[in-house]
Amino acid sequence: MKDRRSSREPNAADQHRKDPDKQGNLHLTPLWLLVLIAVVVALGCFFGAEVWLRAGFAPLVVPFVSFVVPLILAAIVGQQGWRVRAYQRGESSMSALTAGRIFVLTQAGSRAGAMLVGSALGVISAYAHTGPSNFLAEQMFRLALSALTSLVLVVVSYIAERWCSVDDSDHDASSGVRRSPGSGTGAPA
């Protein structure tokens, strides 16, 4: 009787075991991607606000507390990233699944922050050349404050993401099992 395993085609799991470079590791967010996100969103918001204003609609009111949410998110992402950093240093315990989830949180934080920075800067640019008024000056100040705190979210998330990574050399290439805590630019802890 013929062995069914030897005649079948290799599946995706077999391919990953053979080629560790093609494993489904999470990759660190490159800085250029965050800049690209911010620029694309800024351009979209600029043109959207221009169309809105040229259609004769009043500028939208930006709540004064719009800067608070990015600060809260930055504090949460930074605290969670610090937990993974402590785990990698051997100062605390954590499951690999939790560390992976925090890694994804840091990526979401940096990308969402880049979108918030871009949107605020795009609307500021549209408001800047519509004509001086106290109302627009106040809205631009609120947007600038929101852009600044969103930039804090991007920076904190970007740094926390680096805390959540380990060197690929710390992983057993054939099984993906982490051998020892470390830091670097590879997969999440």
Side-chain angles (χ1 to χ4, degrees), residues 42-105:
L43 289 172
C45 287
F46 171 77
F47 289 118
E50 279 291 315
V51 168
W52 178 267
L53 294 171
R54 292 198 189 277
F57 295 108
L60 298 176
V61 177
V62 179
F64 183 71
V65 296
S66 63
F67 72 95
V68 174
V69 173
L71 281 180
I72 292 171
L73 290 174
I76 291 169
V77 170
Q79 188 270 336
Q80 293 297 311
W82 191 262
R83 283 182 56 208
V84 175
R85 186 170 189 238
Y87 163 69
Q88 288 195 18
R89 290 180 168 187
E91 299 169 2
S92 69
S93 64
M94 174 182 290
S95 72
L97 182 60
T98 301
R101 287 176 178 163
I102 293 171
F103 182 79
V104 172
L105 172 70

Side-chain angles (χ1 to χ4, degrees), residues 34 37 57 87 114 131 134-135 145 153 168 174:
L34 298 176
I37 289 170
F57 295 108
Y87 163 69
N134 289 338
F135 175 75
L145 193 57
L153 173 61
D168 285 336
S174 64

Side-chain angles (χ1 to χ4, degrees), residues 90-141:
E91 299 169 2
S92 69
S93 64
M94 174 182 290
S95 72
L97 182 60
T98 301
R101 287 176 178 163
I102 293 171
F103 182 79
V104 172
L105 172 70
T106 62
Q107 288 188 323
S110 64
R111 294 169 188 187
M115 291 174 68
L116 291 170
V117 168
S119 63
L121 294 178
V123 175
I124 287 172
S125 299
Y127 285 1
H129 69 289
T130 57
S133 74
N134 289 338
F135 175 75
L136 281 180
E138 182 180 346
Q139 299 311 304
M140 289 170 50
F141 172 75

Side-chain angles (χ1 to χ4, degrees), residues 20 23 25 87-90 162-189:
Q23 288 185 357
N25 291 340
Y87 163 69
Q88 288 195 18
R89 290 180 168 187
R162 269 81 193 138
W163 290 341
C164 293
S165 66
V166 294
D167 275 334
D168 285 336
S169 62
D170 289 343
H171 287 70
D172 182 358
S174 64
S175 66
V177 176
R178 197 174 117 210
R179 292 187 213 153
S180 63
S183 62
T185 59

